[in-house]
Structure formats: C-alpha cells, structure tokens
C-alpha cells in the first residue's frame, strides 16, 4: 500500500481519506485553514451556535455507508439523526402558506390541494412522476459511477417534458418546465426554490434539475443533533481513528509531477512531500486559479449569504424547523432555519435562527442591504423578531472565499444543458491525481460530496476497473 496526500479537509476529502486509510494506505491531509469541514462551519458567540454552511442533511445513506465501511459502526452511534416534519413551510409572495410533510407523496398532494386549490396537488404529483423518470435515468451514471471519458451522453436532458406543440419552442429550462406544466405561479415558485437552494438559477438550469425536489421529497430531510457541524466532527474523528494524519494551517501550492504522473505536492513553506497518489479535495476552481493544476478556469456565479440571529425569548411551540419565504421583486428566496436544539442556544429562554439565501456574485452588490432584506423576510415568519433581536452576524460570499478558497457554492451534477452542469471528473488528466469533494463528480451538497469521496477511494484502491457501487 502507498502514501496518499489529500489537499483540503472538506467533507468529500475526509470521506476519501477514511476509506483509503481502511484500505491500508498512509494518508496525510494538508488543510490551509485552521479546521476541517470545508464549508460545513459553525459560528459561536455568547452561548449561541449556528451552522454557516448547510443546515440539513439529505440522503443520509451516504454517510451511513461511510461509517459502516470504515468501522462497521452505524452513523447513528456517532450523531443523532431526526427526520424534520414538516419538511418545510412555504410562504409565497401572495401570502399563501403550505406545510409539506417529510417524504410523503400523498401528504404533499393533500397539503398542496388544501392550500393552493383542488388540482394543485395532482399537477405537482404528475410532475414528480416525470422527475422520477429523470432520476432513474441518471441516478447510477451521475451519482454511483465514475464519470466516463466521453460525457456527451450527459449533454442530453433526461427529463421527459410534455410535448411543446406545433411551432412552439421546446421547454429546456427548469423555469420553463414549471410555468408550462405546473400552471400556478406558486407551484412554479415552489419548484424554483429547490433549484435556488442548491445554487442554481432556475431560469438557466436544465429541466433535469427536477430531480432535486424529487430527491428531497422521496428520501426525506434530516437534522443532525448539534447542527451539521456535528457530522463534520464525526467524520473527522473517524479519520483520526483510522490513523489519518491532519496538518492544518498548511497550504499546498503545487502538485509535483514526474514522468507524466503526480508524485506529490509542494507546501507553501517550500517543502516537497512525496506521494503515490494525490487527492485534491480543495475546490477545483481554486486549484486552477492558484496554478496548482495548470488547466482552465471557472467563473463563479452564485454564492451563499447567511445571517445568524441571536434572539431573546423561547421558540414558540408551533414553530417549524424550516420556512422558505419565496422571492419578491425586491429580494431573493430566503430560507429560515429554527432548529429546536438546546445545543444551539444558551438556555430555553433564547433562540438561534439562521437565515440564508443564494445570491449572484456581483461585485456591485451591497451585502448589508441584502442582509437587511433577508432579516425583513425572516421577520414575516418569526414572531416579534425585531424586539427579540440581541445581535446578528452577517456572513457573505467573501467569508466563503476566505474559508474554502472560492466564493461560489457548488451544486450537484445535472444532465442536460449541453454538459455545462457537470463538475470535474474524479480522475484528472494527470495520472495519480484525483479530485474529491463538492467541486468534483458528482458535485456539491453534503451527500454528493460524500459520494465523490467513495468514488475516488474506489478508483485508487481498485484501479481503472472500478465501476462504482453495486
């Protein structure tokens, strides 16, 4: 077995490191910041705690598999997992509200009919049937197998859209699908909100992004006790148990190459570290930009704004965990998270609330103005917010850039769009250099990053014959 160097301590990189260590490799992780977890961070002050990255977990089976494969131990022995029910409350721009249950198609149909009128649930249900077709066509090649050299097949959209009609332009974008098939601006806004939550503009995202609401509504939404940061803690501890070595506050500035393959890395201090394989878990665009890998560049498009609110007063008994306040002409769609978790507040007489939104990375944006719009949206669903507010902490894409190396938050791989929504392949053009994490196949999000770590470990351990999970 050989020596593996991993660049970055994000979730996908740590997932790869743990699996490679179990296979007998000597693994060292170099992280340029002071901690692990990548975008899965926590902000703490005065007894309040907030997840500043993702706040909920989808497809927990990915991390269940990681913990079983690296220690024959259930994930639930390490973290507390709870299904969030209702999965979300949606507040539309006309004031209509609907609570969607967790992983219940019949319940979702019923809730939409009751809130939006008879027939709304049926239209959404029919849409989910077509979304399932897209999911079934892409699940294995886009999630469970290494990306093939020829990705042209992914350029075609797998979503089975309704016929466009004679001389009418076909529907190729998610926003078009919503307007044409759902026939209710509130249902269309519901669809759009799933795209925005993953960093996609529904006006540009391919129709195959329909798999995002299908995935969540089919497999459920989960909360990790203590916040998602507790999941990062558990993965890090599992790596340590498998004798993975971590070196923090140490940047990698170059991937070393000899005889046409990767042979190690050079650290910021000038030290060369030899390796049989290099796994780049840091964001791929940052690797390109910093010339760690001498290839092209990628333009940042959307990032995450987060406002942490420390409130006096207890959370009301009928509060829901997640509320989506849909966009208006003056502000973006905003997600308000109110977990009923004693670990996140000083005592039961206070509450931690996290407000987040996907925003374009335009340099002329006034982040303070956007934060104020987000708090105003939260005020509409959190009783007495202004009077209860002790303080707030605003985190912008500039904080994401400082902590992860890029301001953009990556989305999961999508078919369609002529292949523009495919992340970097796990196997790079330089032999023995692999990519893991949200910027590589199968893309961003906690579950997808964990899948990328499994794919990279499989490619290194089993070689070119590895075809993914069975």
């Amino acid at each position: 077995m050989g020596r593996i160097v991993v660049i970055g301590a994000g979730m996908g990189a740590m997932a790869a490191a743990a699996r490679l260590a179990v296979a007998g490799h000597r693994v060292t992780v170099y992280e340029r910041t002071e901690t692990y977890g990548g975008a899965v961070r926590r902000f703490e002050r005065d007894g309040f705690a907030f997840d500043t990255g993702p706040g909920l977990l989808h497809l927990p089976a990915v991390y269940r598999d990681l913990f079983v494969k690296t220690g024959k131990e259930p994930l639930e022995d390490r973290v507390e997992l709870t299904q969030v029910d209702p999965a979300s409350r949606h507040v539309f721009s006309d004031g209509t509200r609907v609570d969607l249950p967790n992983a219940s198609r019949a319940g979702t149909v019923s809730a939409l009919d009751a809130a939006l009128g008879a027939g709304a649930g049926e239209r959404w249900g029919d849409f989910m049937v077509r979304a399932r077709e897209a999911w079934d066509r892409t699940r294995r090649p886009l999630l469970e197998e290494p990306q093939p050299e020829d990705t042209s097949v992914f350029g075609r959209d797998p979503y089975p859209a309704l016929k466009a009609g004679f001389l009418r332009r076909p529907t190729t974008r998610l926003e078009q699908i919503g307007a044409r098939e759902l026939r209710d601006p509130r249902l269309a806004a519901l669809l759009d909100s799933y795209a925005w939550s993953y960093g996609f503009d529904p006006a540009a995202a391919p129709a195959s992004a329909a798999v995002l609401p299908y995935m969540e509504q089919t497999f459920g939404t989960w909360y990790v006790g203590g916040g998602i940061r507790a999941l990062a803690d558990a993965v890090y501890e599992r790596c340590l148990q498998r004798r993975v070595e971590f070196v923090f506050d140490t940047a990698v500035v170059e991937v070393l190459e000899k005889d046409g393959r990767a042979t190690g890395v050079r650290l910021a201090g000038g030290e060369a570290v030899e390796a049989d394989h290099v796994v780049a878990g840091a964001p791929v665009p940052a690797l390109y930009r910093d010339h760690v890998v001498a290839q092209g560049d990628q333009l940042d498009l959307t990032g995450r704004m987060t406002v942490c609110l420390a409130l006096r007063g207890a959370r009301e008994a009928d509060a829901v965990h997640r509320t989506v306040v849909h966009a208006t002409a003056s502000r973006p769609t905003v997600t308000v998270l109110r977990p009923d978790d004693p670990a996140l507040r000083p005592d039961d007489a206070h509450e931690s609330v996290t407000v987040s939104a996907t925003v374009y990375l335009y340099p002329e944006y006034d982040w303070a103005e956007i934060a104020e719009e987000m708090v105003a949206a939260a005020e509409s669903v959190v009783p007495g917010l202004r009077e209860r507010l002790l303080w707030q902490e605003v985190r912008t894409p500039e904080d994401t850039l400082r902590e992860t190396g890029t301001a953009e938050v990556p989305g999961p791989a999508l078919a369609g769009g002529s292949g523009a929504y495919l992340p970097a392949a796990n196997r790079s053009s330089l032999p023995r250099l692999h990519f893991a994490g949200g910027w590589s196949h199968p893309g961003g999000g906690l579950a997808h990053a964990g899948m990328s770590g499994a794919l990279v470990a499989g490619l290194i351990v089993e070689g070119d014959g590895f075809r993914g999970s069975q």
Side-chain angles (χ1 to χ4, degrees), residues 348-385:
D348 290 342
H350 294 84
E351 181 184 6
S352 298
V353 175
T354 304
V355 186
S356 62
T358 294
V359 295
Y360 278 108
L361 300 179
Y362 294 149
E364 64 271 20
Y365 268 177
D366 183 335
W367 299 127
E369 181 179 340
I370 295 176
E372 178 58 30
E373 293 170 354
M374 293 168 59
V375 173
E379 188 178 11
S380 69
V381 297
V382 180
L385 186 152

Side-chain angles (χ1 to χ4, degrees), residues 265-282:
V265 299
R266 189 176 306 281
L267 307 181
E271 178 187 357
V273 180
E274 295 182 354
D276 297 290
H277 294 271
V278 175
V279 176

Side-chain angles (χ1 to χ4, degrees), residues 387-406:
E387 294 74 21
R388 298 172 58 196
L389 183 62
L390 295 171
W391 51 263
Q392 68 181 42
E393 172 74 13
V394 177
R395 297 178 57 83
T396 74
E398 295 172 358
D399 294 297
T400 308
L401 173 64
R402 173 175 49 81
E403 293 175 352
T404 70
T406 178

